[in-house]
Each structure stands twice: as C-alpha cells, then as structure tokens.
Amino acid sequence: MTNNEIKIISERIEVENPYILIGLPDVGLIGVISSSQLIKSLDMKLIGYIDSEKLPPIVVIHQTTPMSPLRVYGADNVILIVSEIPLPPALIRPFSKEVVTWAKALNPTAIISLSGIPVPNRMDIEEPGIYAVASGQRALERFDELEAMQVQKLEEGFMAGPYASILNQCMKETPPLPNITFLVQSHMNYPDPGAAATLLATVAKFLNVTIDVEPLFEQAEDIRLRMRDTMKRTSQTMQQVNKEQEYEIPAFYA
Amino acid sequence: MTNNEIKIISERIEVENPYILIGLPDVGLIGVISSSQLIKSLDMKLIGYIDSEKLPPIVVIHQTTPMSPLRVYGADNVILIVSEIPLPPALIRPFSKEVVTWAKALNPTAIISLSGIPVPNRMDIEEPGIYAVASGQRALERFDELEAMQVQKLEEGFMAGPYASILNQCMKETPPLPNITFLVQSHMNYPDPGAAATLLATVAKFLNVTIDVEPLFEQAEDIRLRMRDTMKRTSQTMQQVNKEQEYEIPAFYA
Amino acid sequence: MTNNEIKIISERIEVENPYILIGLPDVGLIGVISSSQLIKSLDMKLIGYIDSEKLPPIVVIHQTTPMSPLRVYGADNVILIVSEIPLPPALIRPFSKEVVTWAKALNPTAIISLSGIPVPNRMDIEEPGIYAVASGQRALERFDELEAMQVQKLEEGFMAGPYASILNQCMKETPPLPNITFLVQSHMNYPDPGAAATLLATVAKFLNVTIDVEPLFEQAEDIRLRMRDTMKRTSQTMQQVNKEQEYEIPAFYA
Amino acid sequence: MTNNEIKIISERIEVENPYILIGLPDVGLIGVISSSQLIKSLDMKLIGYIDSEKLPPIVVIHQTTPMSPLRVYGADNVILIVSEIPLPPALIRPFSKEVVTWAKALNPTAIISLSGIPVPNRMDIEEPGIYAVASGQRALERFDELEAMQVQKLEEGFMAGPYASILNQCMKETPPLPNITFLVQSHMNYPDPGAAATLLATVAKFLNVTIDVEPLFEQAEDIRLRMRDTMKRTSQTMQQVNKEQEYEIPAFYA
Amino acid sequence: MTNNEIKIISERIEVENPYILIGLPDVGLIGVISSSQLIKSLDMKLIGYIDSEKLPPIVVIHQTTPMSPLRVYGADNVILIVSEIPLPPALIRPFSKEVVTWAKALNPTAIISLSGIPVPNRMDIEEPGIYAVASGQRALERFDELEAMQVQKLEEGFMAGPYASILNQCMKETPPLPNITFLVQSHMNYPDPGAAATLLATVAKFLNVTIDVEPLFEQAEDIRLRMRDTMKRTSQTMQQVNKEQEYEIPAFYA
C-alpha cells in the first residue's frame, strides 16, 4: 500500500553502483544548500521527480520552467534526490520506503544523507566538525577512512525525521543497504552555507569528485539574506513535525 | 477513486480546441472578478456546474434563480470554469484532476488560469505588471507572443493552491496539456477590479476577442465596497488552507 | 452508502401530493417555533421519526413519553419534518438526501422550508418582511402568487446549511423537485416567535389551511424567556458548523 | 460491526426475567455510588466484565485483585452492570447496543438506569425528589405504582448521554424493551451519597428487595471527601463529552 | 489486524520458562533506568527489536551502532523488552497484544513489569516502598513470597497506560498468563535511580540472580543531571497520553 502513496518517476539509470545522495530541508538547510551547489558544480541533469497525492499543491519555477519541488538529478556515478519543501509528516515513512526500494534496485555503493547537527555556539566555530553514522557492510568498510578526513563517528546519540527513517529502512533490508549520514555542525534556525561548504568538501573527497565549494563561502552572506524567510517557515513546519510525530529524545543510556 | 469525489456536469460541448479559462477566489479576487465581467461582456451561457459530496452546503441565488457556486459557462470557443467559494483544501487535488481530465477530452488550445500575485506597494502602481507561467507544447509556442503584450515570463518563483494543482496535473499528462497561468500584480487582501481589468485586457488580446473592461475600471470603487466583507472571509479561509496544507515557499534556488 | 447513515422511519402515508414542511433550528429558531405551533394548531399526529448512528445520544420527553428529537408529523395533506436539535455537520448532506428521496416518493406539491433571515434592526421592524427562493416547475408556477401575499422573491443572495442542502438536492433531481424556502426577517441570536407568527400566517394562506398564530403573538414574551438558553446553545453549535464547513459567502455577483 | 466493538463477557445467567440495573458515572456519581452499595448490601457476585479495543488502558485493583473497570454482578434476580470510568464518547452507542442486545436475551422484567438530575439548590433539599422516565409495555404497566413511592413522572425534558442511548435502543426494539430511568435530584459536580441512598431506598421497594442504605447516609461526609478528586476528573471528561457530542438541549416545546 | 501493526523481531529463544521483564519510560523513568543497569550488570545480549509503521521515525546510536529504540535483550533465563521512547497512545494496545502473544509462546515463568508509583514526599523517604499487583496462577503462587522481601500487595488502586494494558492482556488469556507488576515509590517528574536501585535489588532476589545496583546508588546524582531534559520531554508526552486516552481514576470503591 505504502509504495503507492509516493513514487519516484525517473529516466532509466544505467550507471553501476552509484552514490545516491539525499538533500532535504533540515537543520541549517544543509541538505538543500549542498544539493543546489552540487547540481551547479557537477552540472547535474534533471532526470526525474517524485509524485504523491499527499504532497501539498506546489509547483516551483526555475528558469521559467515549472517543475516538482521533489526532483532527481544525475551526473556520472552520482545521483541526487532533493526536496525543496519539508515533507509532510505522514509522508516521511512512505518517502523513505520508496527511496530505499528505488535505490536498492540500483545496487548503490552507498546512500549518503547530507544533514546538519545544531550547535548553540556555531558563531564561535571556525571549522565546523562533521559526524557520521553508518550502517551496512559496504558503508562500514569505508567507515574508517573517515577519520583521515577529520570526520568523527557519532558515539552516542539519536536521529529523528526523514534521514532517520531512511537509515531505518536501510537497516531493515537483508543484507542492510549501505548508508552513511553526514552531520555537520551548523546553525539551528538559520541557513548555514559555510557548514554546507565544509560538508561538501568532505563529500567530494569521499566520492572522489571535484566540487567547487568556493561560491558557497563567498556568497555566504548573500545567501543568508535570501534564505532567512524560507528558514523561518521551514523551522515552523519542523516544530510542527516534531510535535505531531513526538520526536522524543530517547531516555536510554547504556 | 478521486474522480468520483467531484464531477463536472455540463451540456455537450461541440466547439473544437476551445480556450478553457479558470476563475477561482484567490489573491485580489482576480479570478472571480474577471470571470464575472467575462460572463457579462461575452454574454456567456450557463452550461454546467460542479458537484461534490465534499462541497459545503451552499446555494447561491442570481436573478432569483438558485444555482451551484461552482459553474461552467460557454460562448463560442471560450469556456469558463468559475467558483464563487474557496475550495475546501481536501478538494483541491480532486478538483484539479477532474478539470484537467474534462478539459483534455475537449482538446483545448490552452487552459488559462486567471490569478493574481500580491505586491505590497500596489497603491503606488498605476499599471500593474502581468507575469505568466506556461507548460505544454501549444502553450510554449505562444509563450513568446506574450512579450509583445507586455507580459513577463516568471523566471524564478513558486505557485501554491488550486492553480498550482491544475498546472501540475497538466504537466503530468503525456504529452503535457497546454497551460498558461496569468498572474497580475494585485492587492493581497482586498478585491482589485483594476488589476482584473488590466489582466482581462491582455487576455482579450491573447484570445483575440473583445472584452469590455471599462465597467471594471469605472465601478472599481463601488465593487471594492461590496466585496470587502467577502474578501475578509476568503482571506481567512486561505490562511487556513495555507496552514493545513503547509504551503511552503520552496527552499531551493538553482 | 449515504442513505444508510440516516433513515426516516414512518407510518405509510396515503395522502396524494402533500405539502412537506421542514422545521429546523436555525436563525431566530423560526423553523422550530413554527413547527411547534403548527402541530398544536393543526392537531398533527406523530407518524414517524428519524434515526441515525451519527445523531448525538439524546432522547426528549413530551407529556411523559420519551421520543426522538427528529420526528415526522401529519394532518390531512400537510406533513411536517421537525428537528429539536441542530444537525451535526456531517449529517447535513445525508439528512437532505434522505428527506428528498423520501419526499420524492410521495410526489409532493411542494417541499416548504421554514427559515429566517437575520436583520440587525429587527427591533425597529413592526411587520417583518418575507423572502422566498423557489426551484422546480410546480413551485415556480406558484411563485408569482407570492407577491399578492406580500412575499418578495430573493433577487441576489445565498443560502447555507441544511435548508440549502435540501434545496440543492431538489435541484439535482430530474425533473427538479418543487421547493420553496421561506425566509422571514428575524433576530439572529434570539428566538423570534413574532417573526414565526408572521411567517405562519403567510404559510397558512399558501397552503390554504387555517393556523392559529395568535398564541405566538401573545406568548412572544414568555417564549422568549424560556428559549433564551436554548438559543445560546444553538448559536454556539451553528458557529461551530460555520467554522467546520467553511460556509463562505460567495464572492460572485453577476 | 458495532457489536464487535464492545462485548459483555459473563457467566451464563439462569435466572428468569431478571431486573437489570445500570450504574454509570454521571451527575452526582449516583450510578456508581448506588452500585457500590448494592454490591455490598446484596452480596452480589462478580459474574462478568465488558471488553473493548476502544476502552482506555485501565485496570482497577480491588482487594488485591486486578479487574476491568466495567463489570457485571449478579444476586438472585438482580443483575448489575457497572462502570467505574466514564465511557469514551465513541463507545456510548456501541455500549448501549451491546447492553440492550445482551439484556434482551435474558427477557428482563425491566432495565433500570440509576441516574441523577442536577439541582442548583441541592443544599437546601432535605429529601431529594425522584423522577422517572419509562418505555415499553412491562415498564409502563408498573409506571403508576411509582406515584405511591413518591416518584414523579418526568413530564417535559430531555436526557443525554449513555442512559439516553440505552433508553433509545430499548425504544427501537420490537416490541420496545421495558426501561425505567430513575433520576434523583443531586449535586451536579460533587458525589452525592445522600441522593444515592434516597434513590436506593425507592429502588429497594420497586425491586422488592432489602437494601441497607444506612451506611451511605452515615458515611456521606466521609465518602464526599474521598470522591472529590474523582468527581473533578469525571466532570472534566463529561464536559469534553458534552462538547464532542454536542449534547444540545432540544429547542422544542409542545 | 492489530498484530500486523507492531511486531517483535528476534532471534530464536531456546530457554525454557524464562522471566520476561518489561522496561518502559514511565513515572520516575524506573523502567528505563532499571533496564539499562540490568543490561550492563547481567551482560545481556541484544537479540531483537520491535518494528511498527506507527512508531515515530527515530534511530538511536549506541557505541557508534544505529539501532531501534525498542529492543529485546537476553541472558540465561532472563529476557528484557525495553523502550527508550514513550509509546504513541495508538500503539499501546497493539504493543501489549504483541508482547503478550510473543511471551505466551515462550511459556514464561512470569512477565514482570518494572514500574513506579509517584509519591509527593519522595525526598523524605530513605527506603522507597515497593508494591505489587499479580495475575495468573504461577504469579499468584509466588505472590506470598513477596512479603518476606518487604513488598506489599496493592490492596485498592488502579493502573493506567502500557503496563495496565499488558496486565489486561495477560488476564484475558485462558488460563491467564502470570504477570507481576512491581511499583516502587518514586519521583513523579524526575528520574529516580535510587528508586530503580531499590526495585532492582528486590527483582534480583525474586529472579534469584545477582544484579549490581551499586552504580545506580553511586551515580544517582550524575544520572539525575543527564536525564533531567529527557524527563521533561517524557513528562510532556505522558500528559498528552493522559489527555488523549482519558486515563480516569476509577470512581468506584468496594
């Protein structure tokens, strides 16, 4: 039933063992800012979109062309799934299932989630730290490389929302699908292009591709202004999500 | 299932490749004011109505005759679908699907949405600007004509609500149905007959028909008074729609 | 499905072409006050009741006998459907469908809705005016008689709620069922036995029966006191109905 | 469907034509206080309980034994159905249906509801009055006996909630099941053991059994204190019930 | 249907007649704190998790490994079901059913719920008292042993929430499944490792195993600080649960 609720519609993908990146509006808008720069820098091609009866009636216009706010891009062995709008809570699980089912058929090297982790003193941090959570054989094999890239394994903690749901779906596959979630320290309630740039630099090393992150650093101030309003709305919706879904910080420690 | 939720009931339409205009209560009440004047000026004939179990129990009375608040009118090659009441959020998608399915069977030259785009300084604008969003081969072919009519293509932006849903349904057809959404600069929370008149003048050129828009300019002050109350209510419902449907301004820029 | 939600259970009715009157709690409690006096004056017999799983768990007691708050009465060629409680919003459409389906089988001369229309300056009006809305051949044929009875045709306006839903169902039949809605000027938030008496006097002429309306005029003050509390509650429920159902005053004028 | 929602599970009952008493938390907690004393005084045996997926997850503990808050007791020809918790509004109708269906199979002499009717000046009333509402042949036959017991027939009024729903279900049977609802004048928002004692004394005469009501009179003050908190909670839930179910005082008088 | 809503997925369990302990976030976080220490002290092995479409999208990370917040642990003849997050109200009954069905197949010696009972003057209590509620033959047989362990049988009272629902499901089995709920006096709104330690010491005697509870006593202060935030959130969710489920303190006394 769930798989009928939301559907990825895309061109046929021929590349073997791709990296599948996920960029969603979240803490610091890391996923969305990163995705935008990835598309520009890798000159990614629009190859699909995501359709659901339960998505709000929204169309976005880019370069005079109307399109869905949830889209799929591709360039060589990198595939990107991006959403410009927060997912309605009722769609989080169906979305995750569809993404993981769709990704599994492509036999991916890894599903890579681009996320942020809020720090209160972000202002005082020159170089934001990056944490990672991994699941699945292929991902765990490369988990140790990360230390050389200044990425720390998250020891104790929890994840909530769409990225957690995607990780959960990957873990439930037999064998588990390789998933790495990158969490870069970022602002909670403001877009953080600086943190997104730091994350992209590491992702570039991990994927062994070249990504121009300079524009993000340069335009940080400019982007901050353009995105302030959007951020406020995203933040309100996320509060609502938190409330409706009762994202509880688990009470356990072991 | 959805198509059973709402249904267009109309006389048989014989005209080939009609223009199908859509007028809904929205920003500045542009769609509703334009439709009213269109009906008068083109002497359009009432040829159908829209029925749904989910519409609120409302009957409108015009010239002593009770009728549905959602109706279909026709004159030569112009068909008009008009609603006097805001659509309940749960009906937005079923309404759009039914309109597009019904329109497709008529092989239309274009589906034309009559909408507004709010500007804060509307008071200071003598001649409100008109933007357009187009989809589908036949619509795109005529997209370039618009510049000669002082209509600008919308470069970057987003649409939300019933007009976005209609555009979305048109885009999903194979091949996409021709759709043009006209967005005239208007008041956000007050009816704007002046903006509606400006829009109608352009629509007249585009459809190559004669529409008398003088009454709108002349009666602007009068209409403003009569519609103020209605506007307040429409605005409240739209706020609710916004809230329930989480119309989010997309966070993306490319 | 809908017809199973609510059901009229009544004795078999043998009279041909009856008038079917509808009295519901509405503006000024016109429908309920009129119905009460009709039953007394015409000595109407209790012949049925209305049952639904969705009605609130309420039993009313009259002259020591418990009964349903929604009942059917009959006397000669006059049938009366009366409700002592406001209909839950979710029952408005099923109730209307059942009433119209049930009425249709009796081939009625007319379905006559007893309603009020609020006026702010009711205090200053000696003789409240009566408006009428008609649909269906048999009703329209007698529509012109009304002017002689000082009843005005409603030129432009709208109706919302159960009476609108009944009218709507009548309009959708082929051919449309004869329906006349009488709207007497009345208080908005207080019971208005004076207005009900004025309406009943006209209804008596229209039905060609004798109805004693003097008690209403005489007991106006008394009734006002006894019904004040009920009115408050009805008003609250109606506000809720308005909110839930988004009864919007249509934005159109033609 | 409804009968699957809630189920009475009990030992087989062999007694013929029993009296089936119903004690529910209501105005003045009359039903619950009366039931508690009935069980003690008649040394009633626990013979069943009521189960439903929709009941809140609550277990009560009496004399170290955990049990359901909705239970069935029996002693000779008296059966008692008691609930220690207010019924969730969505269960009122299924509960009533199940009780009446279950009772019907026992061919009862009468179903007797133990309820209260609030009076504002309860403080000033030495001996609270008792009202009765009856339906069904066997109940009506004995209705006249009541006057000798100082019980008044309720002339005009209404009932709302579970007791009204049970009465309604009895009325809908063919022939109607015998039902008597006793309504004793009581406090609205405080437990009223005095009123319960007065009611039990009358019920004892009616059932022709001996019930010791002295403990209620004696412990009135004590019980009042222990139950004050519970009453507050019951009252809040009942307000909610009232709100959700729109218990409207009917607007009719005849 | 319900059993499809939530599912325990675990390794095959070979041990005969195990003790099945349940630790859920509740008053004083007794269940969660106890479970955490049990896992450490008995070196329990992670052997399963609980999956449901209706659980919020949360993943917890322990020692760099992502896992479900609802898990199953085992060591010798002790099995532990623990949840780090409060159960959504709609899952309480399905969760209880699944736990009891799953436990029944293991033919357990007893299902043991680790819970707290709030006391306002917890500060002044050196050694918190422990109460017990039992159901089912095997549990009742051992009920008398408890007095020697300073555990009091709960005479009169009620239980609400997941532990009550588990007890209820055990009671409904034929024959009833053995269930003991331990309720230790604890803080209402703060984590209470001291009370958890006192409870664990008694549970150790009852299970005849050795549990090191010293760390809890020692780290009481430390844990208190780390858990204060979590407690606040748990408390908010529980208030919501209480509200939605109308956990009413039963009005009965016998």
Side-chain angles (χ1 to χ4, degrees), chain A residues 6 37 63 75 89 91 93 106 124 133 135-136 145 150 159-160 176 185 205 226 238:
Chain A
I6 190 164
Q37 185 58 23
Q63 296 172 294
L91 271 183
R93 190 176 285 263
L106 298 175
D124 313 330
V133 176
S135 170
E145 291 177 30
Q150 246 70 15
M159 289 169 51
Q185 289 182 322
K205 286 183 214 156
R226 288 167 61 191
M238 290 187 65

Tab-separated table of all heavy atoms in Angstrom, chain A residues 6 37 63 75 89 91 93 106 124 133 135-136 145 150 159-160 176 185 205 226 238:
chain	number	residue	atom	x	y	z
A	6	ILE	N	3.563	7.283	-2.711
A	6	ILE	CA	4.561	8.206	-3.238
A	6	ILE	C	5.444	7.425	-4.205
A	6	ILE	O	5.727	6.250	-3.982
A	6	ILE	CB	5.371	8.843	-2.082
A	6	ILE	CG1	6.248	9.979	-2.584
A	6	ILE	CG2	6.163	7.809	-1.316
A	6	ILE	CD1	6.760	10.880	-1.466
A	37	GLN	N	24.318	23.484	-4.771
A	37	GLN	CA	25.691	23.693	-5.236
A	37	GLN	C	26.214	22.471	-5.997
A	37	GLN	O	26.949	22.612	-6.983
A	37	GLN	CB	26.597	24.016	-4.040
A	37	GLN	CG	28.032	24.363	-4.406
A	37	GLN	CD	28.116	25.549	-5.363
A	37	GLN	OE1	27.195	26.374	-5.432
A	37	GLN	NE2	29.193	25.607	-6.139
A	63	GLN	N	14.149	29.061	-14.006
A	63	GLN	CA	14.484	29.479	-15.382
A	63	GLN	C	13.268	29.357	-16.281
A	63	GLN	O	13.338	28.758	-17.355
A	63	GLN	CB	15.660	28.642	-15.907
A	63	GLN	CG	16.924	28.896	-15.084
A	63	GLN	CD	18.035	27.935	-15.452
A	63	GLN	OE1	17.916	26.728	-15.210
A	63	GLN	NE2	19.101	28.450	-16.032
A	75	ALA	N	24.640	12.724	-12.566
A	75	ALA	CA	25.873	13.076	-13.290
A	75	ALA	C	26.875	11.959	-13.021
A	75	ALA	O	27.235	11.729	-11.866
A	75	ALA	CB	26.429	14.423	-12.813
A	89	PRO	N	4.599	15.183	7.602
A	89	PRO	CA	4.910	14.052	8.490
A	89	PRO	C	4.361	12.714	8.009
A	89	PRO	O	5.062	11.706	8.071
A	89	PRO	CB	4.266	14.482	9.811
A	89	PRO	CG	4.337	15.978	9.792
A	89	PRO	CD	4.135	16.361	8.354
A	91	LEU	N	4.107	11.618	5.187
A	91	LEU	CA	4.817	11.093	4.017
A	91	LEU	C	6.223	10.614	4.348
A	91	LEU	O	6.899	10.029	3.496
A	91	LEU	CB	4.892	12.158	2.921
A	91	LEU	CG	3.738	12.205	1.925
A	91	LEU	CD1	4.005	13.257	0.855
A	91	LEU	CD2	3.521	10.850	1.263
A	93	ARG	N	7.568	8.211	6.239
A	93	ARG	CA	7.839	6.790	6.094
A	93	ARG	C	7.654	6.312	4.639
A	93	ARG	O	8.536	5.633	4.101
A	93	ARG	CB	6.977	5.965	7.043
A	93	ARG	CG	7.384	4.509	7.122
A	93	ARG	CD	6.573	3.743	8.133
A	93	ARG	NE	6.954	4.043	9.491
A	93	ARG	CZ	7.795	3.301	10.211
A	93	ARG	NH1	8.326	2.215	9.691
A	93	ARG	NH2	8.093	3.631	11.435
A	106	LEU	N	19.255	-0.137	-7.755
A	106	LEU	CA	20.428	0.400	-8.451
A	106	LEU	C	21.722	-0.152	-7.865
A	106	LEU	O	22.809	0.191	-8.309
A	106	LEU	CB	20.430	1.931	-8.386
A	106	LEU	CG	19.237	2.635	-9.050
A	106	LEU	CD1	19.320	4.138	-8.802
A	106	LEU	CD2	19.209	2.355	-10.549
A	124	ASP	N	31.050	30.801	17.090
A	124	ASP	CA	32.430	30.782	17.571
A	124	ASP	C	33.266	29.683	16.925
A	124	ASP	O	34.451	29.529	17.236
A	124	ASP	CB	32.441	30.564	19.096
A	124	ASP	CG	31.448	31.481	19.786
A	124	ASP	OD1	31.213	32.584	19.248
A	124	ASP	OD2	30.906	31.102	20.839
A	133	VAL	N	27.230	8.574	10.804
A	133	VAL	CA	26.586	7.356	11.288
A	133	VAL	C	26.521	6.406	10.097
A	133	VAL	O	26.099	6.824	9.008
A	133	VAL	CB	25.157	7.639	11.802
A	133	VAL	CG1	24.467	6.342	12.216
A	133	VAL	CG2	25.197	8.628	12.966
A	135	SER	N	25.722	2.322	8.401
A	135	SER	CA	25.030	1.035	8.512
A	135	SER	C	25.235	0.267	7.218
A	135	SER	O	25.278	0.848	6.139
A	135	SER	CB	23.553	1.279	8.771
A	135	SER	OG	22.829	0.071	8.651
A	136	GLY	N	25.356	-1.053	7.304
A	136	GLY	CA	25.522	-1.862	6.093
A	136	GLY	C	26.992	-2.097	5.783
A	136	GLY	O	27.830	-1.213	5.969
A	145	GLU	N	37.939	5.081	6.855
A	145	GLU	CA	38.561	6.132	6.039
A	145	GLU	C	38.219	7.519	6.551
A	145	GLU	O	38.967	8.478	6.364
A	145	GLU	CB	38.025	6.079	4.597
A	145	GLU	CG	38.444	4.885	3.770
A	145	GLU	CD	37.771	4.952	2.406
A	145	GLU	OE1	37.496	6.058	1.899
A	145	GLU	OE2	37.490	3.866	1.851
A	150	GLN	N	38.989	13.810	8.863
A	150	GLN	CA	38.564	14.642	10.009
A	150	GLN	C	37.071	14.445	10.363
A	150	GLN	O	36.454	15.310	10.979
A	150	GLN	CB	38.830	16.131	9.713
A	150	GLN	CG	39.871	16.758	10.605
A	150	GLN	CD	41.265	16.192	10.273
A	150	GLN	OE1	41.504	15.568	9.255
A	150	GLN	NE2	42.186	16.379	11.213
A	159	MET	N	18.882	10.072	16.011
A	159	MET	CA	18.450	10.822	14.840
A	159	MET	C	16.930	10.719	14.726
A	159	MET	O	16.359	9.677	15.044
A	159	MET	CB	19.068	10.223	13.569
A	159	MET	CG	20.552	10.449	13.397
A	159	MET	SD	21.230	9.414	12.036
A	159	MET	CE	20.085	9.804	10.708
A	160	ALA	N	16.305	11.815	14.262
A	160	ALA	CA	14.849	11.797	14.096
A	160	ALA	C	14.497	12.457	12.782
A	160	ALA	O	15.201	13.356	12.319
A	160	ALA	CB	14.170	12.532	15.258
A	176	PRO	N	21.574	-5.419	5.069
A	176	PRO	CA	21.315	-3.981	5.183
A	176	PRO	C	21.958	-3.203	4.043
A	176	PRO	O	23.058	-3.541	3.605
A	176	PRO	CB	21.960	-3.602	6.525
A	176	PRO	CG	21.975	-4.865	7.307
A	176	PRO	CD	22.175	-5.967	6.309
A	185	GLN	N	28.190	20.287	11.923
A	185	GLN	CA	27.766	21.274	12.919
A	185	GLN	C	27.248	22.527	12.221
A	185	GLN	O	27.930	23.085	11.360
A	185	GLN	CB	28.934	21.640	13.822
A	185	GLN	CG	29.337	20.512	14.775
A	185	GLN	CD	30.461	20.917	15.698
A	185	GLN	OE1	31.370	21.627	15.289
A	185	GLN	NE2	30.403	20.473	16.948
A	205	LYS	N	35.813	14.531	-1.302
A	205	LYS	CA	36.898	13.562	-1.074
A	205	LYS	C	36.339	12.144	-1.036
A	205	LYS	O	36.894	11.223	-1.630
A	205	LYS	CB	37.594	13.859	0.264
A	205	LYS	CG	38.504	15.078	0.238
A	205	LYS	CD	39.206	15.228	1.591
A	205	LYS	CE	39.397	16.705	1.931
A	205	LYS	NZ	39.517	16.929	3.375
A	226	ARG	N	18.840	35.919	1.520
A	226	ARG	CA	17.771	35.416	0.656
A	226	ARG	C	16.995	34.277	1.311
A	226	ARG	O	15.835	34.049	1.014
A	226	ARG	CB	18.340	34.942	-0.683
A	226	ARG	CG	18.782	36.101	-1.576
A	226	ARG	CD	19.622	35.612	-2.732
A	226	ARG	NE	18.886	34.673	-3.588
A	226	ARG	CZ	19.444	33.936	-4.541
A	226	ARG	NH1	20.740	34.015	-4.758
A	226	ARG	NH2	18.717	33.109	-5.259
A	238	MET	N	8.977	22.367	10.919
A	238	MET	CA	9.688	21.316	11.636
A	238	MET	C	9.218	21.218	13.081
A	238	MET	O	9.140	20.139	13.649
A	238	MET	CB	11.184	21.541	11.570
A	238	MET	CG	11.703	21.302	10.149
A	238	MET	SD	13.490	21.379	10.092
A	238	MET	CE	13.875	19.944	11.100
